[in-house]
Amino acid sequence: MKKIILCLSIILLLAGCTTTVNTPTKKVEDFMSKYQNLDSEVMSQLDNIVSNDNTMKDDQKKDYTALMKKQYQNLSYKIKDENIEDDNANVTVEIEVYDYKSSLTKSEQYYNNNKEEFMDKENNLDESKYMDYKIEELQKVSDRKKYEIIFTLTKEDDEWVMDNINDSDREKLHGLYEE
């Protein structure tokens, strides 16, 4: 009798766990966790983007990657709402990230007002010098910004799958969104 109860308990526990793992909210939480934990998939995407950037030197790429890691690890979020209709769902999330966009905007304004500081001997823009300046300013950022993202999901074969996020939502995750 005890064995039957134990077996039934295990079956119910496993069934319950599978259901809670397969919810739209859980899928979004898993997605956000990948950023916070610097998941290999997230880091691979970041490495691909940074390595293909021709505007930065190797040391700048390293510094920029460190900035993005800091952003990801310090990303915080709150699930605000989950709305399910048939095989479609929306999960509304409020995120808080470092406000890198304000820093880049200020750097651009500084550049526009002080171009002579970023010129080489031939009086041409020294892109590397300007990039160093922008990265230095980004490293000083401590202000944070809140954004709302609505993640969409589709149920495929009884499994919730997150739809691809758009560019503006990706910019929000990176703290680079301009409102």
Side-chain angles (χ1 to χ4, degrees):
M1 182 69 165
K2 287 183 180 179
K3 288 183 180 180
I4 293 172
I5 292 173
L6 180 63
C7 285
L8 286 174
S9 297
I10 291 172
I11 291 170
L12 289 173
L13 180 65
L14 290 174
C17 289
T18 337
T19 308
T20 57
V21 171
N22 186 25
T23 67
T25 294
K26 180 64 177 149
K27 293 296 182 177
V28 170
E29 288 172 340
D30 290 346
F31 175 80
M32 300 302 283
S33 176
K34 284 182 177 186
Y35 277 89
Q36 292 172 321
N37 296 318
L38 303 178
D39 179 81
S40 61
E41 183 181 335
V42 170
M43 293 311 301
S44 176
Q45 289 173 359
L46 176 61
D47 290 341
N48 284 339
I49 290 168
V50 172
S51 66
N52 290 328
D53 187 314
N54 297 325
T55 64
M56 290 188 276
K57 296 188 296 187
D58 288 343
D59 58 329
Q60 293 167 332
K61 289 179 181 184
K62 182 180 163 197
D63 290 342
Y64 185 78
T65 298
L67 284 165
M68 291 286 72
K69 284 181 178 181
K70 175 184 168 188
Q71 181 73 288
Y72 297 161
Q73 289 176 311
N74 291 284
L75 171 126
S76 63
Y77 69 93
K78 277 187 217 170
I79 304 293
K80 298 298 236 178
D81 190 30
E82 177 187 77
N83 193 351
I84 301 172
E85 192 172 308
D86 300 324
D87 289 343
N88 297 300
N90 292 325
V91 177
T92 304
V93 178
E94 179 183 82
I95 66 167
E96 187 174 42
V97 293
Y98 286 114
D99 187 10
Y100 287 162
K101 182 60 182 172
S102 288
S103 176
L104 291 174
T105 300
K106 289 176 187 173
S107 295
E108 188 175 338
Q109 289 170 347
Y110 184 83
Y111 164 74
N112 287 331
N113 293 327
N114 301 281
K115 289 184 180 182
E116 66 282 352
E117 289 183 34
F118 303 99
M119 299 298 172
D120 61 17
K121 293 176 183 176
E122 288 81 39
N123 217 21
N124 296 315
L125 172 64
D126 184 340
E127 291 284 344
S128 181
K129 197 174 196 178
Y130 181 47
M131 183 60 71
D132 284 338
Y133 173 74
K134 288 194 294 188
I135 289 173
E136 285 173 24
E137 293 303 303
L138 285 169
Q139 290 169 334
K140 297 175 188 175
V141 171
S142 61
D143 293 340
R144 295 177 61 81
K145 183 110 177 163
K146 290 183 181 182
Y147 298 108
E148 184 176 280
I149 299 176
I150 299 174
F151 293 96
T152 59
L153 297 94
T154 307
K155 199 171 207 180
E156 298 174 5
D157 300 323
D158 282 337
E159 184 76 21
W160 286 104
V161 177
M162 226 175 83
D163 300 336
N164 289 330
I165 64 173
N166 60 38
D167 289 341
S168 61
D169 289 340
R170 192 172 313 282
E171 288 172 357
K172 290 175 183 177
L173 287 169
H174 293 142
L176 301 171
Y177 182 71
E178 186 168 1
E179 296 180 272

